[in-house]
DNA sequence: GAGTTTGAAACT
DNA sequence: CAGTTTCAAACTC
């Protein structure tokens, strides 16, 4: 232990800062001002009183009361080791619970063990040591058990629950326990907890408090509260909690063990608590919340009864939990996200569920990619992920069976990426598919390395390479969820939708598409051979996304591994043409009037950014970008013999009968497209919360949203979008470029934004860029978005058509 | 699946 | 800016 302790210290040093900050938060959250981070001094304080406590007659009395002896600290810690978790039987609903049970089981065994005598001596020794704190906590547990025989019956869950509740309460400082609850168990538990607290606090007051508890047996809660309040170190407790959270977050279980430091122990205990919180949250959260708000036995009963997790209300629970956590604030549970595999993982996942939800892209992606794996989800999944996360996952899977349906998802959350995936699963719709998704880790995001890169991106670099999935880390939540679902759904349903479009021709098209796209639904992406996927030839690159497995590209550099190269190349291209990654098609919302030229009549009410240059295809084939994008040709087009079914360059051809005649199928498609557009727009509008920065949103809209009937139909890609976030190219935020998947040439570009939300640049008819790039209709290269809109007389609608990727800096294009 | 066509992107 | 080349998707068989 000593060795570990030192190691732990080293780590501790690094993390200490964070923890401290956490502590501060905690304090604020509690409203009591930040307590000092748990330091050695506190420990000493704590230790001393404990020592006395053991000597006190009360202590002896307690010992006499229960046949059980206090357990040695060491043993306690072990039960929570990752190993234990790993071995957890799938039967157990929540990992932590089982772990707890196991630990107790062990303890009891040991209790019966004649080694009892050790206990007193050991404890004393430990009290003085750093370990003492934790030991105390454990002792308190022991005491609890001894005090409350019922607890034995109730098993671990009860304890954990209480601990959790306690934590929550403490953190929130609400402390509105309703001790009036008839349930005796409740009382004892609280009392025990309180004892723990008091012990930890190490105040002299703790002793009397304990006495009362011991004497009264199940003393009124009021007493407990008093005891707690007496303790000035209450704050410390909160701090401890936060620290514990930190541990959860940053340390693997082993690390936690390593942290044998004084506080560490307590932290460990806390960690457990957290873990229990996490795993049990679903079950217990309600009760905890209730307690926090002056609740009573109801919640407790739930715990004791160990009712299977309520599936129906689970989400609600989660929400509540989140709320609670928010209240805890300081605890920064959300930080638990980057968890390492270990015992804690089991727990954390839950927390993560709440916080880190939104990696919809991942999910999205995964959903598509993973369908393949439906058959061998478990095996492939675990095998694919080399990292601990994988293991976790497997564990989770084991756990899954215990909780039927959605619940399983809750258990998951091993690593960030996985987490997200798991989260994704949270969405009910995806039980199976998403499940599979989790298992296969190949996607960029899933890839541990990628995950890491993502992190880095998030934190430090200019997000040029942004991962939408990161949202989760940022605490984005709810807003994203629906998106995820939608996205996933979209991907999932695409095929069916298409098929549903009954026209025979259509089916044919669809079939073809499917074939091309890859039956696997996989996203067949680019097929570059010479460009290394670093040129706009590459659809993936052009779309601002990394190439993924489905791609058939050769010598591909458009991968996270070559992030630098990708970024550099991208910059280069953008330097050449700032709008290079902008959506090719700018679509206005339904209500939006038109952009300028007659072509505006186009049903799609959208325009190709730069216009096509078709000579032979008559703009009736996908060679034509306008056609491909489902928009009519405009004045900007330099096409010859335009017959674009969506609108001719000369403006004659809206979707008119003519078009119909020529392109029967096309017309029907159009209508479909139209619908899809509407849907998309709606989604976008709802999602596009400017503040939501969420990269995911754009992505989501881009990828997830309605699939164009005739567009490539390539399934959604995985999602490491390049430059998706606001970083380097501020536009990214709005910009779809990165998000625009190839298929969406048509759809992606279109984005509706509330006017007020629009960046000024975009709003102005003449954006700087426009000024720079404004091209004559015939000009070959990029024509600024504003040009398209410029003439639009009718911008009445609140929504506008925005060129998402419009660079916000005019200065870039001096030359023009 | 191979070959052709096409037009955008890239280059000069 | 225009012409040419390169490239990969779209298309055909």
């Amino acid at each position: 232990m000593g060795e570990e302790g030192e190691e732990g210290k080293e780590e501790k040093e690094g993390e200490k800062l964070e923890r401290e900050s956490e502590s501060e938060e905690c304090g604020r959250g509690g409203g009591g001002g930040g307590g000092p981070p748990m330091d050695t001094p506190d420990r000493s304080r704590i230790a001393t009183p404990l020592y006395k406590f053991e000597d006190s007659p009360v202590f002896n009395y307690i010992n006499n009361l229960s046949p059980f002896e206090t357990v040695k600290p060491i043993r306690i810690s072990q039960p929570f080791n990752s190993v234990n978790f790993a071995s957890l039987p799938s039967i157990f609903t929540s990992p932590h619970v089982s772990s707890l049970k196991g630990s107790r089981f062990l303890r009891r065994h040991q209790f019966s063990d004649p080694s009892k005598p050790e206990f007193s001596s050991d404890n004393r020794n430990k009290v003085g040591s750093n370990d003492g704190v934790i030991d105390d906590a454990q002792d308190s547990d022991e005491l609890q058990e001894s005090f409350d025989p019922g607890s034995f019956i109730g098993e671990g869950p009860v304890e954990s629950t209480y601990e959790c509740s306690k934590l929550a309460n403490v953190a929130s400082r609400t402390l509105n326990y309703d001790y009036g609850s008839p349930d005796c168990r409740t009382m004892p538990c609280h009392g025990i907890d309180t004892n723990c607290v008091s012990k930890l606090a190490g105040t002299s007051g703790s002793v009397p408090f304990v006495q009362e508890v011991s004497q009264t047996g199940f003393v009124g809660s009021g007493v407990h509260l008093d005891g707690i309040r007496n303790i000035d170190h209450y704050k410390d407790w909160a701090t401890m909690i936060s620290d514990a959270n930190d541990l959860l977050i940053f340390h693997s279980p082993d690390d936690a063990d390593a942290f044998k430091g004084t506080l560490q122990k307590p932290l460990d205990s806390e960690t457990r608590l957290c873990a229990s919180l996490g795993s049990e949250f679903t079950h217990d959260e309600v009760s905890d919340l209730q307690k926090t708000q002056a609740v009573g036995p109801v919640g407790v009963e739930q715990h004791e009864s160990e009712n299977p997790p309520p599936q129906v209300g689970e989400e609600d629970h989660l929400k509540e939990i989140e709320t609670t956590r928010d209240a805890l604030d300081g605890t920064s549970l959300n930080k638990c996200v980057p968890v390492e595999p270990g015992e804690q993982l089991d727990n954390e996942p839950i927390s993560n569920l709440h916080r880190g939800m939104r990696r919809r892209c991942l999910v999205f992606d995964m959903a598509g990619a993973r369908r393949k794996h439906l058959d061998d989800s478990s095996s492939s999944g675990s095998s694919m992920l080399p990292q601990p996360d994988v293991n976790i996952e497997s564990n989770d899977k084991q756990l899954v069976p215990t909780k039927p349906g959605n619940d399983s998802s809750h258990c998951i959350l091993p690593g960030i990426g996985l987490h997200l995936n798991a989260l994704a699963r949270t969405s009910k719709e995806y039980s199976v598919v998403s499940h599979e998704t989790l298992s296969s880790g190949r996607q960029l995001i899933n890839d541990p390395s990628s995950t890491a890169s993502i992190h880095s991106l998030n934190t430090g670099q200019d997000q040029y390479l942004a991962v939408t999935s990161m949202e989760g880390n940022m605490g984005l939540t709810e807003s994203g969820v629906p998106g995820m679902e939608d996205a996933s759904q979209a991907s999932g349903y695409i095929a069916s939708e298409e098929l549903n479009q009954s026209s025979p021709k259509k089916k044919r098209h669809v079939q073809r598409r499917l074939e091309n796209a890859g039956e696997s639904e996989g996203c067949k992406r680019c097929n570059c051979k010479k460009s290394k996927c670093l040129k706009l030839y590459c659809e993936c690159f052009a779309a601002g996304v990394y190439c993924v497995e489905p791609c058939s590209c050769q010598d591909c550099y458009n991968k996270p591994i070559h992030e630098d190269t990708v970024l550099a190349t991208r910059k280069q291209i953008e330097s050449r043409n700032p709008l290079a990654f902008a959506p090719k098609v700018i679509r206005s919302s339904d209500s939006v009037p038109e952009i300028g030229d007659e072509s505006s009549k186009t049903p799609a009410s959208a325009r190709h950014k730069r216009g096509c240059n078709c000579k032979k295809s008559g703009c009736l084939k996908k060679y034509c970008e306008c056609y491909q994008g489902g928009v009519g040709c405009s004045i900007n087009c330099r096409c010859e013999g335009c017959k674009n079914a969506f609108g001719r360059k000369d403006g004659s051809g809206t979707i008119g009968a003519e078009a119909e005649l020529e392109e029967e199928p096309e017309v029907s498609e159009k209508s479909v497209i139209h619908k899809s557009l509407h849907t998309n727009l709606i989604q976008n509008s709802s999602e596009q919360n400017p503040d939501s920065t969420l990269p995911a949103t754009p992505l989501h809209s881009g990828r997830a949203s309605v699939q164009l009937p005739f567009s490539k139909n390539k399934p959604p890609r995985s999602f490491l979008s390049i430059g998706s976030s606001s970083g380097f190219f501020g536009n990214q935020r709005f910009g779809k470029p990165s998000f625009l998947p190839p298929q969406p040439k048509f759809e992606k570009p279109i984005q509706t934004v509330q006017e007020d939300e629009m960046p000024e640049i975009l709003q102005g008819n003449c954006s700087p860029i426009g000024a720079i790039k404004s091209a004559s209709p015939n000009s070959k290269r990029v024509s600024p978005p504003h040009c398209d809109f410029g003439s639009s007389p009718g911008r009445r609608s609140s929504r506008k058509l925005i060129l998402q990727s419009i660079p916000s800096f005019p200065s870039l294009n001096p030359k023009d």
Side-chain angles (χ1 to χ4, degrees), chain A residues 273-295:
Chain A
L273 294 176
C274 281
S276 60
L277 283 173
S279 61
E280 295 246 330
F281 238 165
T282 40
H283 305 283
D284 299 341
E285 310 125 63
V286 172
S287 65
D288 290 346
L289 291 173
Q290 289 176 343
K291 286 181 180 179
T292 304
Q293 299 174 349
V295 175

Side-chain angles (χ1 to χ4, degrees), chain A residues 80-82 85 244-257 267-268 271-272 274-275 278-279 336 339-352 392 413-414:
Chain A
F80 292 92
N81 288 343
S82 61
F85 280 93
N245 289 336
D246 288 349
L247 284 176
L248 282 174
I249 296 165
F250 299 98
H251 298 284
S252 66
D254 292 346
D255 291 345
D257 288 350
L267 292 178
D268 285 353
T271 300
R272 293 174 195 167
C274 281
S279 61
C336 294
V339 177
E340 290 237 3
E343 51 180 351
Q344 296 170 350
L345 288 178
D346 292 344
N347 306 325
E348 291 181 356
I350 291 168
S351 63
N352 288 339
I392 293 165
L413 312 183

Side-chain angles (χ1 to χ4, degrees), chain A residues 402-570:
Chain A
T402 55
K403 293 183 180 183
N406 298 339
D407 292 359
S408 64
S409 66
H410 293 290
C411 297
I412 305 167
L413 312 183
I416 293 171
L418 294 178
H419 248 352
L420 294 180
N421 290 340
L423 292 179
R425 286 199 216 158
T426 309
S427 62
K428 308 156 181 176
E429 290 103 31
Y430 280 76
S431 58
V432 177
V433 173
S434 46
H435 211 42
E436 295 309 329
T437 301
L438 288 175
S439 55
S440 74
R442 84 176 144 92
Q443 291 294 336
L444 294 175
I445 294 170
N446 285 345
D447 184 356
S449 63
S450 67
T451 301
S453 65
I454 292 168
H455 265 306
S456 63
L457 289 175
N458 228 357
T459 55
Q461 299 179 356
D462 45 344
Q463 311 158 350
Y464 191 57
L465 215 87
V467 176
T468 55
S469 63
M470 293 315 292
E471 286 179 1
N473 289 344
M474 307 180 95
L476 297 180
T477 51
E478 319 247 315
S479 63
V481 175
M484 272 175 59
E485 291 179 358
D486 291 350
S488 58
Q489 287 180 352
S491 65
Y493 294 106
I494 292 167
S496 63
E497 286 181 0
E498 289 179 354
L499 292 177
N500 289 343
Q501 324 230 341
S502 11
S503 96
K505 288 183 181 179
K506 206 150 233 194
K507 283 184 180 178
R508 188 175 156 211
H509 278 266
V510 171
Q511 257 188 343
R512 184 155 199 171
R513 272 181 243 154
L514 289 176
E515 290 177 0
N516 291 339
E519 305 137 24
S520 53
E521 181 169 18
C523 330
K524 178 179 182 185
R525 281 328 210 102
C526 66
N527 191 30
C528 305
K529 292 175 182 173
K530 295 181 179 179
S531 67
K532 296 181 180 180
C533 297
L534 290 178
K535 301 206 170 179
L536 292 175
Y537 297 125
C538 176
E539 288 189 4
C540 298
F541 181 78
V545 299
Y546 287 120
C547 291
V548 293
E549 206 172 272
C551 293
S552 300
C553 47
Q554 298 174 2
D555 194 19
C556 177
Y557 278 76
N558 186 26
K559 294 187 176 179
I561 297 171
H562 299 96
E563 176 186 334
D564 294 342
T565 301
V566 172
L567 294 176
T569 302
R570 211 181 139 117

